[in-house]
Amino acid sequence: QVQLVESGGGLVQAGGSLRLSCAASGRTFSNYVMGWFRQAPGNERDLVGGISRSGGSQYYADSVKGRFTISRDNAKNTVYLQMNSLKPEDTAVYYCAAKTIGGYVSRIGYDYWGQGTQVTVSS
């Protein structure tokens, strides 16, 4: 089992940047595929992107491709989401998640979730 804690959310103006962090504790972090999801009020929780166990491969949703970057530091048990050129439609609660089975492209199979961190982008 792994415990996940997100941080780094906040209020930012459109065009600005934020970096979210997700610290993991528990089992061996490098065993897990990691993903970032977001959920806006009234919407489903959507996959923003995923990263492979080694960190060498990433997947991004079309809506964030070219603006967001996922990375991980297995020595620090942390995954990051760098968000640039933020838009009001990026406003949501952002969650990190972990899974042991399945790839980093698929949104299914995530077993462990953080509590979420709010990101608000003002226009």
Side-chain angles (χ1 to χ4, degrees), residues 9-10 15 19 27 33 38 52 57 59 61 65 81 86 102 107 109 114:
R19 187 172 87 152
R27 306 292 291 269
V33 167
R38 66 185 182 186
S52 62
S57 299
Y59 163 81
K65 200 172 296 182
L81 179 65
L86 282 161
R107 67 180 305 277

Side-chain angles (χ1 to χ4, degrees), residues 7-106:
S7 61
L11 173 64
V12 64
Q13 288 188 333
S17 298
L18 280 176
R19 187 172 87 152
L20 305 184
S21 299
C22 173
S25 61
R27 306 292 291 269
T28 305
F29 182 64
S30 59
N31 287 346
Y32 295 89
V33 167
M34 299 299 297
W36 283 98
F37 289 75
R38 66 185 182 186
Q39 186 169 21
N43 290 357
E44 294 184 351
R45 190 173 296 188
D46 292 326
L47 177 65
V48 173
I51 188 166
S52 62
R53 292 171 180 81
S54 69
S57 299
Q58 303 86 34
Y59 163 81
Y60 299 97
D62 288 343
S63 58
V64 306
K65 200 172 296 182
R67 300 187 297 123
F68 290 11
T69 302
I70 299 175
S71 60
R72 66 190 294 166
D73 186 337
N74 286 344
K76 294 183 178 179
N77 290 357
T78 303
V79 62
Y80 305 96
L81 179 65
Q82 177 68 44
M83 304 185 293
N84 298 329
S85 302
L86 282 161
K87 304 175 181 180
E89 51 263 44
D90 294 318
T91 295
V93 177
Y94 283 72
Y95 300 89
C96 70
K99 61 179 175 179
T100 55
I101 298 173
Y104 58 91
V105 175
S106 173

